[in-house]
């Protein structure tokens, strides 16, 4: 089992635990800010994939039969005026989708990237001008990813080639209130977007 967080002092420490013995067997501090999320990836190695606040994606693993841990980090700690990283693991458990926005003068853009989890290989990357992501979601069949922007823009993409499938807009006052969550239904036919103020929008895809 692994855990990660932030307490103001440890600056995002990751711990690996032996559940049977209820003991920490390894701790690692990448000094990359808060730990946003983590998951164990499948494969020959025991690998914990971690998403940190500053845009870093960290892979911490122990090779089979070894007691020594190793790590590698992808991402840039010097984000300047960038917004926090948005990230979500695919339901299939095979890839990680991340979105990180940046601002240059009055222009904004976000970069959507996907990583194959077992090796942390970057498989796809696309720049989306004019989008500041509030949330990211992957469909249950892992074939679609949606980015919902802070200004009410909904962008649906295919995960295979990161091509844009459809653009939609949140209606009326809900767009100004700001979307804060998104989720697909199990059949992948509908998309639900939750906004501040208690409004929920349901879209037929």
């Amino acid at each position: 089992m692994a855990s990660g967080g932030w307490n103001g002092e440890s600056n995002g420490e990751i711990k690996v635990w032996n559940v049977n013995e209820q003991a920490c067997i390894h701790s690692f501090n990448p000094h990359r800010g808060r730990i946003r999320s983590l998951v164990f990836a499948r494969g020959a190695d025991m690998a914990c994939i971690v998403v940190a606040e500053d845009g870093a994606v960290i892979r911490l693993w122990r090779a089979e039969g070894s007691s020594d841990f190793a790590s590698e980090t992808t991402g840039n700690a010097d984000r300047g005026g960038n917004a926090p990283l948005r990230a979500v693991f695919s339901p299939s458990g095979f890839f990680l989708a991340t979105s990180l926005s940046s601002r240059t003068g009055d222009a904004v853009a976000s970069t959507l990237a996907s990583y194959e989890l077992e090796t942390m290989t970057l498989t796809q990357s696309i720049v989306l001008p004019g989008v500041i992501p509030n949330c990211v979601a992957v469909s249950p069949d892992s074939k679609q990813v949606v980015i919902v922007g802070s200004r009410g823009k909904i962008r649906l993409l295919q995960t295979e080639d990161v091509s844009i499938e459809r653009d939609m807009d949140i209606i009326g006052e809900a767009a100004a209130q700001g979307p804060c969550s998104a989720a697909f239904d199990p059949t992948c036919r509908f998309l639900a977007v939750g906004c501040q103020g208690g409004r929920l929008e349901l879209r037929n895809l």
Side-chain angles (χ1 to χ4, degrees):
M1 185 180 76
S3 63
W6 183 77
N7 62 12
E9 296 179 0
S10 64
N11 194 28
E13 188 174 31
I14 304 161
K15 292 185 177 182
V16 181
W17 301 82
N18 183 312
V19 178
N20 293 330
E21 298 179 4
Q22 298 184 17
C24 176
I25 58 175
H26 183 76
S27 62
F28 174 67
N29 193 331
H31 299 286
R32 310 297 294 237
R34 292 177 176 86
I35 303 303
R36 292 289 185 179
S37 56
L38 53 81
V39 69
F40 274 100
R42 299 175 181 178
D45 299 342
M46 183 202 77
C48 175
I49 309 298
V50 181
V51 178
E53 181 180 39
D54 69 356
V57 179
I58 303 156
R59 179 172 179 255
L60 178 70
W61 77 94
R62 184 174 64 185
E64 187 175 0
S66 171
S67 61
D68 296 326
F69 284 81
S71 66
E72 60 184 354
T73 302
T74 303
N76 185 3
D78 184 14
R79 296 185 297 110
N82 291 0
L85 178 78
R86 309 295 180 186
V88 62
F89 296 100
S90 69
S92 64
F94 293 123
F95 71 89
L96 166 73
T98 68
S99 181
L100 184 65
S101 63
S102 60
R103 183 184 299 272
T104 304
D106 294 331
V108 296
S110 63
T111 300
L112 177 68
S114 61
Y115 296 86
E116 191 273 318
L117 280 179
E118 187 174 344
T119 62
M120 281 314 301
T121 302
L122 177 66
T123 57
Q124 301 285 352
S125 180
I126 184 175
V127 177
L128 304 171
V131 178
I132 302 177
N134 269 20
C135 48
V136 181
V138 177
S139 62
D141 60 8
S142 299
K143 293 181 178 179
Q144 296 172 303
V145 59
V146 67
I147 294 180
V148 184
S150 60
R151 300 172 184 173
K153 176 70 72 177
I154 303 171
R155 179 155 284 179
L156 186 67
L157 304 101
Q158 294 287 337
T159 56
E160 184 177 0
D161 56 3
V162 204
S163 61
I164 299 173
E165 180 177 328
R166 189 184 309 177
D167 278 338
M168 298 168 280
D169 291 298
I170 296 176
I171 302 170
E173 295 181 0
Q177 292 173 341
C180 54
S181 62
F184 291 86
D185 84 303
T187 68
C188 304
R189 293 171 53 200
F190 299 95
L191 175 70
V193 178
C195 301
Q196 297 180 32
R199 183 182 178 91
L200 178 69
E201 286 207 357
L202 188 64
R203 294 299 181 93
N204 189 330
L205 299 178

